[in-house]
Amino acid sequence: MKKSFSKIYHPIKDYIMIFLGTALYAFSFNGFILSKEIVPGGLTGIGSLIFYVTKIPVSVSYASVNVVLLILAGKLLGRRFVVNSLFGIVSLTLSLLFFEWLLGARPLVEGEPFMSIIIGGALCGAGLGIIFSANGSTGGTDIIGAAINRYRNISIGRALLYCDFVIIACSYLVFHDVDKIVFGYVTMFTEMYILDRVLNANNQSVQFLIFSQKYREIADCIIKDLDRSCTILNGEGGFSKQPVTVVILLAKKRECSMIFRMIKNIDRQAFITQSNVQGVYGEGFDRIKT
């Protein structure tokens, strides 16, 4: 009963957090950034450029471009990536649509463009941090970055940074104003800083040593549900002299709660140690540094 409840509760909790994160992002984007004619990074930045030229709402262009990107992602990155991104995309589209109707083009901070972009960038970064903390995605340039990373030796973060720089620079073609570009970059770096602050505590790598009689079931669940591998070692208890099997798992710190839930559902008597690691390099983690 508890196991089935946990399978329902935790995904619903993640979906609620993703929805709250997209609502916060949409509110701050419409109220503090779009209303000041500032172009941020990402797909909302592309939508902003389209809006300033054609008056097509950002929600419409955001949804339309994402449909095309999701089709490409299905072919290049697989069905699972599309499914994981779909809820965040739909939620952000509806949130943008709602706040476009509620706020219109009225700025929430009158006559203070710099204050507006700082507040907007900080709230947008917090919204994205909530989304990513709940294992969500907003699609957009994330899909482009993931595709580039798969076929070229360029990290997703660097690919997204390149995209954002180009998108913001393109605002000069619309406004012919260097100040707009500078404000766009200030917004981007504020957003990135707050996003990093929100995720920083959960972005480190950790090592788990899991001692359990149900080691095979735990290992299978790690491979299937976490999409990670693990190592199984056979040993002997120093005191009991009985055979002991240990599952070694390396994961991101933001995955810890998910891992503990999974182990608890399988074996409540499992003995677990968790430790932070300085660096993890290789498949699924950072690239090997030279």
Side-chain angles (χ1 to χ4, degrees):
M1 181 67 179
K2 290 183 177 180
K3 186 174 181 180
S4 59
F5 174 76
S6 179
K7 287 184 177 180
I8 297 174
Y9 169 75
H10 295 300
I12 291 177
K13 180 183 176 182
D14 288 341
Y15 286 139
I16 292 173
M17 295 303 295
I18 292 171
F19 174 75
L20 293 176
T22 55
L24 178 59
Y25 181 92
F27 165 74
S28 51
F29 170 76
N30 281 283
F32 296 100
I33 298 175
L34 187 69
S35 58
K36 289 294 184 180
E37 295 187 338
I38 304 300
V39 175
L43 190 52
T44 50
I46 297 176
S48 299
L49 292 171
I50 297 173
F51 171 75
Y52 295 136
V53 174
T54 66
K55 299 305 178 183
I56 295 175
V58 176
S59 57
V60 175
S61 56
Y62 174 83
S64 301
V65 176
N66 260 313
V67 169
V68 177
L69 290 176
L70 284 175
I71 294 173
L72 295 176
K75 296 181 179 180
L76 298 177
L77 304 174
R79 182 180 177 182
R80 182 168 184 172
F81 184 92
V82 173
V83 172
N84 289 344
S85 303
L86 192 57
F87 181 81
I89 292 172
V90 172
S91 180
L92 184 54
T93 299
L94 295 176
S95 297
L96 287 170
L97 188 63
F98 173 74
F99 285 108
E100 285 167 356
W101 167 79
L102 182 65
L103 301 176
R106 300 188 307 273
L108 296 179
V109 178
E110 296 284 353
E112 296 288 344
F114 189 75
M115 181 183 295
S116 184
I117 63 174
I118 292 297
I119 296 174
L123 292 178
C124 283
L128 291 175
I130 294 172
I131 295 168
F132 296 152
S133 295
N135 300 307
S137 170
T138 57
T141 51
D142 292 355
I143 297 175
I144 299 175
I148 293 174
N149 173 255
R150 179 163 184 169
Y151 295 100
R152 292 290 185 270
N153 188 24
I154 300 176
S155 69
I156 294 178
R158 184 176 298 180
L160 294 177
L161 189 62
Y162 292 159
C163 290
D164 289 347
F165 265 97
V166 172
I167 291 168
I168 295 172
C170 287
S171 65
Y172 185 80
L173 301 176
V174 178
F175 301 111
H176 304 288
D177 187 347
V178 176
D179 289 347
K180 299 288 187 182
I181 300 177
V182 174
F183 283 156
Y185 288 136
V186 171
T187 302
M188 181 186 74
F189 285 117
T190 303
E191 183 180 303
M192 291 171 58
Y193 176 80
I194 298 300
L195 171 61
D196 183 65
R197 292 294 91 192
V198 174
L199 289 177
N200 187 54
N202 293 322
N203 202 34
Q204 301 173 356
S205 296
V206 293
Q207 177 179 272
F208 285 91
L209 298 180
I210 306 166
F211 300 77
S212 171
Q213 296 295 324
K214 300 180 180 180
Y215 65 91
R216 176 54 61 188
E217 189 176 348
I218 292 174
D220 291 341
C221 197
I222 290 171
I223 296 170
K224 180 181 178 182
D225 294 346
L226 296 182
D227 196 24
R228 290 199 178 278
S229 186
C230 58
T231 301
I232 299 176
L233 299 180
N234 293 318
E236 180 181 290
F239 178 77
S240 66
K241 302 298 189 293
Q242 298 297 315
V244 176
T245 304
V246 185
V247 178
I248 301 178
L249 169 64
L250 290 168
K252 293 294 186 181
K253 194 169 184 178
R254 62 176 178 268
E255 298 172 320
C256 285
S257 58
M258 188 185 308
I259 293 170
F260 279 113
R261 294 174 198 165
M262 177 198 69
I263 297 173
K264 184 178 179 181
N265 288 334
I266 296 173
D267 183 5
R268 301 177 69 91
Q269 304 302 319
F271 182 83
I272 308 167
T273 68
Q274 173 191 336
S275 58
N276 294 328
V277 291
Q278 185 65 32
V280 181
Y281 306 100
E283 186 175 355
F285 293 90
D286 297 330
R287 294 187 180 276
I288 298 176
K289 296 181 179 180
T290 58

